[in-house]
Amino acid sequence: MATNAAASTLNKTSITQLFRRCLRSAHKIESASQRETYMLYVRDGFRRNADFPRNSREVVLAYQDGLEQVEQMEYYQRMAKMKHYAAPRNIEPNPALRASAMAKQPSTPTEKNTKNHSSIHQNVSKWLVLNLPHLHADDVEEYTRCLIDDGFDSEEFIVEELREDDLNFMKKAHRRALMRQILDKRAK
């Protein structure tokens, strides 16, 4: 019954509004790699359903799914914002002195490792999305983490060294599709 009610009010404007709402929600994601992954996921989802008739069952279900997902994303963003504002603040007596002291200190290996890990994560995540564009954002995050944990931290290394048994953490269909992509690249 809810599907019929949504179908009667579903028009190009409401679909466009949902698309823009999803993009606005994605822009609020702090992590650059997660933000980029979610943006790709949103655009791909809307492209995938663009050819269906506007009030078809598939489009109505996709619209409802998109609405539910963006509402969940906005909820989590509100909760994160509330946690951020509720966190205790350390008030420094003289922020200018602290800033000058910090500027004189060389960056620590931990900071360099964090920056390096972030760019590795982003590169592997982007590579996954390019090779498996229909992946859900949760799968992209999990697969990226598993690949990096297993030492596959660059596109070149993945293409050269990855074997199907290295992908046991993936869903079977994703594993097959990714191996097909890799084998095609190796053949070129």
Side-chain angles (χ1 to χ4, degrees), residues 110-123:
T110 305
E111 289 173 9
K112 289 178 184 173
N113 289 342
T114 302
K115 290 176 186 174
N116 190 29
H117 183 73
S118 176
S119 67
I120 289 170
H121 186 276
Q122 186 175 3
N123 290 339

Side-chain angles (χ1 to χ4, degrees), residues 132 143 164 167-180:
L132 297 172
Y143 296 171
E164 189 167 3
L167 300 174
N168 289 333
F169 56 86
M170 285 184 149
K171 296 174 184 172
K172 190 184 296 185
H174 296 164
R175 184 171 54 238
R176 287 179 183 168
L178 186 60
M179 283 310 299
R180 187 173 45 254

Side-chain angles (χ1 to χ4, degrees), residues 3-183:
T3 304
N4 291 339
S8 65
T9 61
L10 198 57
N11 56 38
K12 187 174 181 177
T13 303
S14 60
I15 293 170
T16 304
Q17 287 173 342
L18 177 62
F19 179 69
R20 289 180 179 159
R21 184 176 170 190
C22 289
L23 292 178
R24 280 193 302 272
S25 181
H27 281 291
K28 294 177 185 176
I29 298 172
E30 289 186 29
S31 166
S33 65
Q34 288 179 344
R35 181 175 47 249
E36 186 174 330
T37 299
Y38 190 73
M39 296 285 284
L40 286 170
Y41 176 73
V42 167
R43 288 186 178 118
D44 183 58
F46 277 85
R47 278 189 202 115
R48 227 182 3 245
N49 294 304
D51 294 332
F52 289 111
R54 194 165 297 132
N55 288 325
S56 70
R57 183 174 189 271
E58 292 86 0
V59 170
V60 171
L61 293 175
Y63 179 84
Q64 290 173 338
D65 183 51
L67 192 58
E68 183 179 314
Q69 287 182 26
V70 77
E71 286 171 352
Q72 287 177 356
M73 178 64 73
E74 290 169 346
Y75 170 79
Y76 289 122
Q77 289 170 349
R78 282 193 307 271
M79 292 299 111
K81 194 174 188 178
M82 287 173 59
K83 285 181 183 177
H84 174 74
Y85 287 119
R89 304 267 191 266
N90 293 333
I91 300 174
E92 308 246 349
N94 190 344
L97 290 176
R98 172 123 171 94
S100 67
M102 290 299 286
K104 292 177 186 174
Q105 293 179 352
S107 63
T108 64
T110 305
E111 289 173 9
K112 289 178 184 173
N113 289 342
T114 302
K115 290 176 186 174
N116 190 29
H117 183 73
S118 176
S119 67
I120 289 170
H121 186 276
Q122 186 175 3
N123 290 339
V124 172
S125 178
K126 185 187 287 186
W127 180 84
L128 269 171
V129 170
L130 288 172
N131 285 282
L132 297 172
H134 300 297
L135 277 182
H136 189 276
D138 294 339
D139 290 333
V140 172
E141 285 302 312
E142 179 185 349
Y143 296 171
T144 299
R145 182 184 49 78
C146 289
L147 285 168
I148 292 171
D149 288 349
D150 287 345
F152 297 102
D153 54 5
S154 71
E155 178 180 350
E156 295 80 18
F157 197 67
I158 291 170
V159 172
E160 290 174 15
E161 299 297 328
L162 193 71
R163 303 289 174 253
E164 189 167 3
D165 60 334
D166 295 324
L167 300 174
N168 289 333
F169 56 86
M170 285 184 149
K171 296 174 184 172
K172 190 184 296 185
H174 296 164
R175 184 171 54 238
R176 287 179 183 168
L178 186 60
M179 283 310 299
R180 187 173 45 254
Q181 292 284 340
I182 291 172
L183 292 174

